């Protein structure tokens, strides 16, 4: 149970996500299918709807957490979620635009348990398909010009994309800096921009489509940002200690890639012998499987794992406080709390 007394079992979250896909996927599919042939093939593959040869596939198009937040935010403020369905699809298109680009920048070979789009279709086609998804998202909102929230939602989503790009740029810049040169404050700011911004935008867009005022929209945005940072902290832990059978990536993949994730930076800044050991390991050009295990142990002994778990809990407490400013009776925001609990307690 949450502090509001709302049940947050995983089954409830899964049901919400399934309902979201039922509402949003038709908009998502029809929009993606409007792309020209080559870009459509990349996008359909990326979403799991087709194999590389164009034959139908039964893969799910992701968990749909962000579109679920759009619809849940609208419901929490007393609105029917239906009018926000296209906005929810737009948010999911932006999310997948970032995934296509992230996979290229990080040179990730797998996503959702199969080869990433750039490894199958090449970097140029995957990059352009991501660009096209961003354009599709903005077009979806522009085509809803008669809705009173469409203009504000378009502006907010565009500003969010700029913030995400700034966060990604900071993340790439960190890779060129020595481990000791990246502060925890910088890393938190980067994660807020890269991950928290879109979750905040999703909640704010739901509020806009519910006709909420500026204060409620701002509080919803802050809720999503804090929950998004908690999400990123848990994701970073999974990047080190996640089960490969669930994540679809090798154990310790983030460490092998020398990522300066939040638990890693916390460990490096700990001033402990284990932190120094981790810095020495990260100074190596490559890390074999033995070194990856040693690095994971060093992060844990330096307190990085415990810090990230405690920080995630703190961020969720802040998120609930922000939510209460928009929805004083938190029982009305049960779906939002279920989703937030789900993403911060997931194991894959």
């Amino acid at each position: 149970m949450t502090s509001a007394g709302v049940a947050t079992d995983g089954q409830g979250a899964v049901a919400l996500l399934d309902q979201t896909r039922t509402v949003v996927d038709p908009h998502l599919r029809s929009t993606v299918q409007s792309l020209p042939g080559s870009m459509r093939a990349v996008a359909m593959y990326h979403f799991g709807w087709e194999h590389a040869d164009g034959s139908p596939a039964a893969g799910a198009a992701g968990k749909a957490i962000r579109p679920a937040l759009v619809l849940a935010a609208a419901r929490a403020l007393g609105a029917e979620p239906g009018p926000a369905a296209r906005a929810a699809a737009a948010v999911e298109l932006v999310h997948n635009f970032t995934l296509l680009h992230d996979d290229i920048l990080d040179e990730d070979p797998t996503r959702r348990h199969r080869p990433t789009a750039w490894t199958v279709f090449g970097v140029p086609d995957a990059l352009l398909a991501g660009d096209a998804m961003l354009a599709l998202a903005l077009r979806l909102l522009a085509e809803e010009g008669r809705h009173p929230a469409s203009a504000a939602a378009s502006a907010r989503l565009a500003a969010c994309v700029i913030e995400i790009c700034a966060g990604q740029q900071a993340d790439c810049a960190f890779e060129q800096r020595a481990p000791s040169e990246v502060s925890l404050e910088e890393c938190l700011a980067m994660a807020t921009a890269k991950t928290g911004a879109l979750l905040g935008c999703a909640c704010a867009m739901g509020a806009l489509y519910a006709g909420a005022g500026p204060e409620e929209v701002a509080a919803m945005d802050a809720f999503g940002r804090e929950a998004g940072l908690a999400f990123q902290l848990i994701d970073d832990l999974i990047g080190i200690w996640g089960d490969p059978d669930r994540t679809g990536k090798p154990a310790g993949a983030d460490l092998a890639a020398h990522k300066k994730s939040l638990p890693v930076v916390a460990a490096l800044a700990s001033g402990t012998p284990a932190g120094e050991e981790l810095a020495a390991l990260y100074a190596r050009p490559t890390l074999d499987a033995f070194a990856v295990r040693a690095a994971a142990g060093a992060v844990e002994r330096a307190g990085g794992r415990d810090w990230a778990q405690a920080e995630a809990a703190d961020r969720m407490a802040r998120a609930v406080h922000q939510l209460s400013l928009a929805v004083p009776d938190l029982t009305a925001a049960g779906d939002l709390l279920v989703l937030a609990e789900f993403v911060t307690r997931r194991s894959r």
Side-chain angles (χ1 to χ4, degrees):
M1 306 286 283
T2 69
S3 58
V6 180
T8 55
D9 60 284
Q11 288 184 340
V14 170
L16 276 173
L17 296 173
D18 286 344
Q19 291 167 15
T20 298
R21 279 190 288 267
T22 299
V23 172
V24 173
D25 271 9
H27 297 290
L28 205 55
R29 274 185 179 262
S30 64
T31 303
V32 168
Q33 287 171 339
S34 72
L35 288 171
S38 58
M39 285 189 289
R40 181 174 65 247
V42 177
M44 295 291 286
Y45 173 84
H46 169 77
F47 275 111
W49 296 326
E50 289 183 358
H51 295 295
D53 62 3
S55 59
K63 295 183 179 70
I65 289 165
R66 290 153 191 84
L69 287 171
V70 176
L71 303 183
R75 280 194 296 270
L77 290 164
E80 286 297 321
R86 288 166 66 87
V91 168
E92 187 70 350
L93 284 164
V94 166
H95 174 53
N96 282 276
F97 145 74
T98 68
L99 295 183
L100 279 164
H101 283 211
D102 281 356
D103 287 344
I104 294 167
L105 289 168
D106 296 339
E107 298 183 347
D108 281 338
T110 59
R111 178 172 294 281
R112 297 167 184 159
H113 304 280
R114 63 179 189 164
T116 43
W118 73 269
T119 67
V120 175
F121 297 93
V123 169
D125 280 2
L127 185 70
L128 292 168
D131 293 343
M133 283 189 200
L134 174 57
L136 287 176
L138 296 175
R139 191 181 78 185
L140 265 180
L141 295 176
E143 288 174 346
E144 279 200 312
R146 289 175 295 178
H147 194 287
S150 62
S154 296
R156 198 168 199 102
L157 190 59
C160 176
V161 170
I162 294 170
E163 187 176 356
I164 291 169
C165 290
Q168 180 64 66
Q169 187 178 44
D171 193 19
C172 292
F174 290 171
E175 294 180 13
Q176 308 305 316
R177 292 160 61 181
S180 61
E181 294 176 353
V182 178
S183 72
L184 196 51
E185 292 74 20
E186 286 180 299
C187 203
L188 285 165
M190 177 274 293
T192 300
K194 221 184 132 176
T195 303
L198 188 55
L199 272 72
C201 182
C203 295
M205 286 176 68
L208 286 170
Y209 274 79
E215 291 183 358
E216 288 84 1
V217 172
M220 279 291 193
D221 185 273
F223 162 75
R225 283 174 177 270
E226 294 290 358
L229 190 49
F231 175 100
Q232 186 60 56
L233 284 153
I234 299 302
D235 202 60
D236 285 352
L237 290 169
I238 291 170
I240 299 174
W241 291 285
D243 180 353
D245 290 338
R246 294 187 172 187
T247 65
K249 296 181 179 181
D254 285 0
L255 296 174
H258 292 77
K259 282 183 179 285
K260 295 180 181 72
S261 62
L262 287 160
V264 166
V265 174
L268 291 168
S270 66
T272 63
E276 294 175 4
E277 177 189 340
L278 179 62
L281 287 165
Y282 259 47
R284 298 182 186 180
T286 59
L287 298 178
D288 59 18
F290 178 81
V292 166
R293 288 194 294 273
V299 173
E300 185 153 19
R301 285 183 283 107
R305 188 173 192 169
D306 288 344
W307 173 85
Q309 289 171 334
E311 185 71 11
D314 179 62
R315 295 291 173 167
M316 272 309 305
R318 296 188 198 188
V320 173
H321 170 68
Q322 291 294 335
L323 182 59
S324 71
L325 300 179
V327 190
D329 179 5
L330 285 177
T331 57
D335 289 351
L336 283 173
L337 292 169
V338 165
L339 291 168
E341 186 83 359
F342 174 73
V343 300
T344 54
R345 291 190 181 275
R346 73 199 195 288
S347 61
R348 55 193 173 101

